[in-house]
Amino acid sequence: SEIREAQNFEKNKIESERLRNWSKGKHRSGSEHDLSAPHDVYLFLQPNLGVKVGYSNSVERRLAEINAYHRLDEKYFENFLIQTVKNSADAELLELWMKEAFSKTATTVGNECYKIKRADKAQSIWNEVIHRWMQRTSD
C-alpha cells in the first residue's frame, strides 16, 4: 500500500511537471492560427465515462494533443460532436455556453472534462446548446 502510494505520488509529480512545461503561450492549443478564420467547437467522448468540451482550428490535431496529456481513467477520447463557427471569438463564447450547460448536469473533473456516463445525455445537452446558439445567431 505504501509502495503503491509512493508510485502514484511519483507518477502524479511527473505528470504535473510535464503539464506545467506544456504551455499554450499566446496561441490556442499550442499552435499559431488566424483568429478570424472559422473554428470548431468540439465535444470529445470517452464512452461510459465522460466528455471534454473545447474549441480549435484543427480538431484532429487537438484530439491527438488531448489524448497525449489528458485521459479519464486512462482511456482515450474519441471525436464525437463538432460545430463550426465563424471565428475564434464565437468559438470561445459557444465553448463557454457548453461548459455552463455541462456543469449543470454533469460532474466537472477539471481540464474542461465532465463525468457523464451516457452518450445520449451528452448529445442532448449539446443539441440544446446548439439550438440556442442557432437562435441567437439568426436573430
Side-chain angles (χ1 to χ4, degrees):
S1 157
E2 286 181 31
I3 293 172
R4 184 174 292 131
E5 280 182 37
Q7 288 171 332
N8 286 338
F9 176 80
E10 196 58 32
K11 179 180 169 187
N12 289 337
K13 190 170 90 174
I14 291 167
E15 183 66 10
S16 295
E17 183 64 26
R18 194 170 68 74
L19 288 175
R20 209 174 5 265
N21 292 332
W22 180 79
S23 171
K24 291 181 182 174
K26 62 182 180 177
H27 307 295
R28 179 86 180 166
S29 306
S31 66
E32 198 168 336
H33 64 275
D34 180 359
L35 299 178
S36 65
H39 280 65
D40 294 317
V41 176
Y42 58 77
L43 186 68
F44 294 156
L45 173 73
Q46 286 187 338
N48 305 315
L49 286 172
V51 295
K52 177 163 178 55
V53 175
Y55 73 92
S56 179
N57 67 330
S58 173
V59 172
E60 295 78 20
R61 184 201 75 239
R62 189 66 186 126
L63 181 59
E65 289 173 351
I66 288 165
N67 280 330
Y69 80 86
H70 186 76
R71 293 181 289 283
L72 296 173
D73 296 337
E74 296 304 311
K75 294 186 179 159
Y76 291 97
F77 285 98
E78 301 169 2
N79 206 339
F80 187 47
L81 299 166
I82 297 171
Q83 178 67 44
T84 303
V85 295
K86 64 184 176 181
N87 57 39
S88 177
D90 275 3
E92 191 171 346
L93 182 58
L94 180 54
E95 177 194 47
L96 179 65
W97 286 21
M98 285 294 173
K99 289 177 184 176
E100 288 172 352
F102 276 95
S103 353
K104 289 178 185 172
T105 56
T107 305
T108 303
V109 293
N111 292 325
E112 303 169 327
C113 295
Y114 304 88
K115 287 239 181 215
I116 187 165
K117 293 198 178 260
R118 293 181 34 220
D120 62 331
K121 179 63 177 167
Q123 178 140 19
S124 173
I125 294 167
W126 173 274
N127 290 344
E128 288 172 22
V129 174
I130 294 299
H131 180 73
R132 277 192 6 230
W133 180 262
M134 293 304 192
Q135 287 180 319
R136 170 200 161 270
T137 56
S138 66
D139 291 342

